Amino acid sequence: MTQPERLPDFPTGGCAVVIGGSGGIGRAIAVQLAERGCDVALNYFSGPGRAEETASLVRGAGREVHVAKVDLRDEPMVKEFVDDASEHFGGVHTAIYAAGPYIPMRFIGQQPAAAFREVMEHDTFGCFHLIQAALPHLRASKGSFTAIVTPAIRRYAVRDILSAAPKAAIEQLVKGLAAEEGRFGVRANAVGVGVITDGLYHALVESGDFDQRFLDASRQAMALKRLGTADEVAEGVVFLASSRARWITGQTLMVDGGYAL
Ligand SMILES: NC(=O)c1ccc[n+]([C@@H]2O[C@H](COP(=O)([O-])OP(=O)(O)OC[C@H]3O[C@@H](n4cnc5c(N)ncnc54)[C@H](OP(=O)(O)O)[C@@H]3O)[C@@H](O)[C@H]2O)c1
């Protein structure tokens, strides 16, 4: 029996755009994409030094990298970044949304409305801007879009509304995108990230929002009884973005140690 021809995981031309490339999860994704042969365009918002560290890891994996400041709230700026990346690398085959602001954990009754509005602006509208900017390029390349969300959209964790609410809207955007754009060959999926010891974790420990009691309870609530890492999250993201997942669209994969079961 002849074996079916194996597609490369990612096209050889064009690039992967990683929004949140200066962050903990975005960095792990950018590096794994580079290790699998992708050139990468990544952004920062307030951390040019962190973006440069990611860029040097991408170069270390033998790939080219383009870095720019992008504020996701600024629709034209997002579009310019994605268009520039496409022009520079000759197309965009992969768009990853792995950004989001710091989110103080409070009960809904104690969250100021301004904090709720701000997180929706950065996170949900930010993701919406990226989708609109990336879509023409993804149609041209029959590419994929993958967004980070949270398992709290399945199993709510108290005080986590600033994560759960924008990510629930993002999951719906992803499903809509999958349903509407599949006929153009574009796929869209999401990855729900449980508590990991990278990225936002450090600021949440420093602020006291992640105290020992919270971390012990989180571990206990997970089937695998341990916190995860950004690298483990990136494995799921890169799989969904790659041609190995070419018949998977509109799905949310929980990479959460079994929290949302
Ligand atoms: N870590 C976790 O345990 C966990 C769990 C579930 C979900 N998540 C979600 O996963 C996403 C990434 O988290 P992370 O842990 O990697 O956090 P992180 O290390 O703080 O990274 C956040 C990234 O978002 C960027 N960013 C923030 N606001 C932006 C804006 N307005 N425009 C453009 N970029 C912006 C940051 O840029 P600068 O650093 O340059 O400012 C950074 O690259 C977030 O949405 C987070 O809520 C994380």
Side-chain angles (χ1 to χ4, degrees):
M1 201 173 83
T2 51
Q3 292 291 323
E5 196 189 337
R6 175 150 206 123
L7 293 172
D9 285 2
F10 293 94
T12 43
C15 73
V17 166
V18 180
I19 292 288
S22 54
I25 296 173
R27 172 174 300 169
I29 294 168
V31 171
Q32 286 193 22
L33 285 167
E35 287 168 351
R36 285 160 177 79
C38 299
D39 291 331
V40 178
L42 61 92
N43 84 303
Y44 62 91
F45 174 50
S46 65
R50 291 189 292 276
E52 198 35 58
E53 283 169 32
T54 307
S56 72
L57 292 169
V58 169
R59 285 187 207 100
R63 304 309 308 185
E64 253 198 80
V65 62
H66 168 75
V67 181
K69 177 171 176 148
V70 175
D71 181 349
L72 282 163
R73 294 168 297 181
D74 185 333
E75 191 180 353
M77 191 187 253
V78 179
K79 182 172 168 4
E80 192 184 336
F81 172 70
V82 179
D83 289 349
D84 283 355
S86 180
E87 200 178 317
H88 185 80
F89 290 108
V92 172
H93 53 69
T94 301
I96 308 284
Y97 179 73
Y102 176 74
I103 34 175
M105 296 180 75
R106 307 277 177 275
F107 292 102
I108 294 168
Q110 294 165 357
Q111 278 292 2
F116 191 76
R117 191 172 297 116
E118 198 183 329
V119 79
M120 295 306 263
E121 278 287 329
H122 280 265
D123 205 1
T124 305
F125 279 87
C127 182
F128 183 78
H129 293 154
L130 175 63
I131 287 171
Q132 290 208 324
L135 196 49
H137 303 287
L138 296 180
R139 279 187 179 183
S141 62
K142 300 193 188 311
S144 73
F145 180 83
T146 311
I148 294 295
V149 295
T150 170
I153 59 183
R154 297 282 185 281
R155 180 183 178 186
Y156 186 68
V158 290
R159 302 188 297 133
D160 210 16
I161 195 63
L162 293 190
S163 177
K167 300 304 192 203
I170 288 172
E171 185 189 46
Q172 197 54 59
L173 280 169
V174 166
K175 276 198 203 172
L177 193 65
E180 292 175 1
E181 298 297 325
R183 68 203 155 122
F184 300 109
V186 175
R187 297 182 303 107
N189 291 291
V191 169
V193 179
V195 181
I196 60 168
T197 53
D198 293 303
L200 268 184
Y201 170 88
H202 302 291
L204 287 161
V205 167
E206 210 167 289
S207 72
D209 281 351
F210 276 10
D211 59 14
Q212 201 52 49
R213 214 167 123 228
F214 173 88
L215 294 172
D216 290 344
S218 297
R219 256 181 233 107
Q220 270 317 306
M222 292 173 188
L224 294 176
K225 308 295 179 204
R226 70 166 175 86
L227 308 185
T229 66
D231 263 335
E232 289 169 328
V233 171
E235 292 285 355
V237 172
V238 172
F239 164 69
L240 286 172
S242 77
S243 69
R244 291 175 188 238
R246 59 189 173 275
W247 211 46
I248 301 176
T249 196
Q251 303 303 306
T252 300
L253 174 67
M254 294 301 172
V255 181
D256 65 351
Y259 170 81
L261 296 177

